[in-house]
Amino acid sequence: MIRFRSKTPLGLRAFGRLFAGFCALTMVFAAPPAGAQIWRNSGTTSGYYVDDRPNGIFLRCAGPSLTVNFTGYDAELPTGASYRVGISVDGIARLFRTRSYEVRGRSILVHQDTLANLRPLIEDLRLGKVAEVTTPAGRYNVPLTGSGAALGALLERCG
């Protein structure tokens, strides 16, 4: 039997273990709290929420009409201005005409259409992995984990 002996001083090994433990604890406490970023449905509204605020994409229905709202960027856009927003879900891209509004001190971009016209987008969002949103204020990704249940509930309520 061959035994290998470490030439590392005992103090250095102990320091290495302590440092590894510190790194593990830092990762645990630095991670965002569970549920801080989630897709959810609230009756006639479904969307992606970060810290209990809509952030990225959320949809709202009112009768036969449905709005797709884009939020979560820091830019302040002139209220009432028209813009185009692109959404790419797993490589399938769509372009939407939007109008800017101010809600609670934040600019949002809103596209309004019928549920029938927006159903292909909703199905892509329900089944996709990630949506890339391109706005005049920049580009961002929205994870779609959990979107299937949230948007399914919206379709049941609005459809």
Side-chain angles (χ1 to χ4, degrees):
M1 173 189 252
I2 300 174
R3 289 192 134 175
F4 293 96
R5 295 193 83 179
S6 172
K7 294 186 180 186
T8 305
L10 183 60
L12 190 55
R13 261 189 271 156
F15 175 76
R17 287 186 185 133
L18 182 64
F19 183 72
F22 174 76
C23 289
L25 282 174
T26 301
M27 299 262 306
V28 168
F29 289 112
Q37 300 178 5
I38 188 169
W39 273 86
R40 68 179 181 203
N41 175 270
S42 177
T44 58
T45 303
S46 287
Y48 187 68
Y49 285 75
V50 175
D51 296 330
D52 291 328
R53 291 179 71 177
N55 195 338
I57 301 172
F58 71 96
L59 296 90
R60 177 175 288 145
C61 65
S65 180
L66 186 77
T67 61
V68 182
N69 305 272
F70 305 95
T71 65
Y73 44 84
D74 292 330
E76 292 182 27
L77 303 172
T79 300
S82 295
Y83 297 98
R84 290 183 185 225
V85 172
I87 303 177
S88 176
V89 179
D90 297 340
I92 298 174
R94 292 182 173 80
L95 200 58
F96 297 95
R97 292 182 185 272
T98 65
R99 184 160 307 277
S100 62
Y101 295 93
E102 184 178 325
V103 177
R104 297 183 186 135
R106 296 172 66 190
S107 290
I108 66 168
L109 294 169
V110 178
H111 172 78
Q112 185 170 357
D113 207 338
T114 64
L115 177 59
N117 288 342
L118 289 171
R119 189 173 290 271
L121 170 68
I122 294 170
E123 290 304 322
D124 286 349
L125 292 171
R126 290 181 67 199
L127 301 173
K129 294 182 180 170
V130 67
E132 180 181 336
V133 180
T134 305
T135 74
R139 185 181 336 191
Y140 54 90
N141 289 333
V142 177
L144 297 177
T145 303
S147 64
L151 292 171
L154 179 76
L155 287 174
E156 285 179 18
R157 185 74 178 239
C158 300

